Amino acid sequence: YMPAEKEVEHFQNDDDFSKGREWYYKRYFDKAGSQEVKGEASTHYMMYESVPERIKSYYPDIKLIACLRNPIDRGYSHYNMAVRRGVAKRSFNECVDDAIDRGHISDSQIDANLEYVMFGEYGRILNHYLNWFKPEQVKVVFAEDLRNKPELVTRDLFRWLEVDADFVPPNVGKQYHQSGDQRFPG
């Protein structure tokens, strides 16, 4: 069972997280059956160092999936989205140079609109998760594999999650919000 909305972001949002586990469960999983495996998808969970500890405090035995995209493609797509929103005012190269010169920053300093390099530092990000979770609790998949072999990747994930690996979701392989798609007119 997955909530209808993507990017729940409960574990990175201080206000939502302060409402507690029961609020989170009721808000996003109230309609799920008691026997259903539950999950959510929030890309920003990889971006904030406070998130793994928060997740662990609710669900110490959770299984986590990290879907990684080529970090250069990810960063450039992120930049283009920021340009469309009017928040990126400099060239991509200038932004990358500044990020490299600046180095790592804390959660409180992050501007999610402008972190084109930091959010693609998968080694650092996954290492931080592995400080909180056992390696067998974290599954890494690659966006390119998911795009090119969606049924194979989905079957492997379902097997790992210990759910029906023969189930094929009706939307498997459908791509949503592709880079360059204008989702909001104007």
Side-chain angles (χ1 to χ4, degrees):
Y1 178 89
M2 298 278 286
E5 64 189 271
K6 185 181 173 201
E7 304 293 347
V8 167
E9 300 180 350
H10 174 79
F11 294 98
Q12 83 186 52
N13 183 307
D14 293 338
D15 291 335
D16 283 359
F17 187 73
S18 70
K19 294 174 184 174
R21 181 179 173 169
E22 289 181 29
W23 178 89
Y24 168 72
Y25 192 86
K26 186 170 180 63
R27 169 82 169 83
Y28 297 106
F29 302 104
D30 201 38
K31 295 179 182 166
S34 61
Q35 298 302 309
E36 289 182 287
V37 173
K38 298 153 191 74
E40 55 135 316
S42 293
T43 57
H44 284 147
Y45 287 172
M46 292 184 64
M47 301 170 186
Y48 295 88
E49 290 184 353
S50 59
V51 169
E53 180 179 11
R54 288 177 170 188
I55 293 172
K56 179 99 174 186
S57 74
Y58 280 21
Y59 305 109
D61 298 319
I62 196 168
K63 288 187 174 183
L64 301 164
I65 301 167
C67 184
L68 307 183
R69 183 176 180 191
N70 175 310
I72 296 169
D73 294 342
R74 193 222 63 77
Y76 193 64
S77 174
H78 191 163
Y79 170 78
N80 283 327
M81 184 175 60
V83 168
R84 285 192 302 276
R85 290 181 176 169
V87 295
K89 306 291 186 196
R90 298 173 301 144
S91 74
F92 181 67
N93 287 345
E94 290 172 314
C95 294
V96 168
D97 288 344
D98 285 353
I100 291 169
D101 289 344
R102 180 193 67 217
H104 185 69
I105 59 175
S106 67
D107 283 4
S108 64
Q109 297 170 305
I110 291 174
D111 181 339
N113 292 304
L114 303 174
E115 296 303 333
Y116 317 124
V117 174
M118 184 177 154
F119 291 168
E121 295 173 339
Y122 302 136
R124 177 188 53 77
I125 292 165
L126 291 173
N127 187 57
H128 189 66
Y129 270 83
L130 292 173
N131 288 331
W132 291 98
F133 298 97
K134 299 174 199 160
E136 57 269 17
Q137 288 180 262
V138 180
K139 177 85 166 171
V140 175
V141 298
F142 297 98
E144 293 81 6
D145 292 339
L146 189 57
R147 183 177 45 254
N148 296 330
K149 304 177 276 186
E151 287 186 42
L152 182 67
V153 171
T154 302
R155 187 176 314 271
D156 181 54
L157 286 172
F158 286 176
R159 202 174 293 114
W160 181 73
L161 291 168
E162 301 177 42
V163 299
D164 182 4
D166 294 324
F167 173 71
V168 178
N171 62 343
V172 73
K174 180 168 174 40
Q175 294 182 23
Y176 297 89
H177 311 303
Q178 291 179 280
S179 221
D181 287 354
Q182 188 173 23
R183 293 172 31 193
F184 307 103

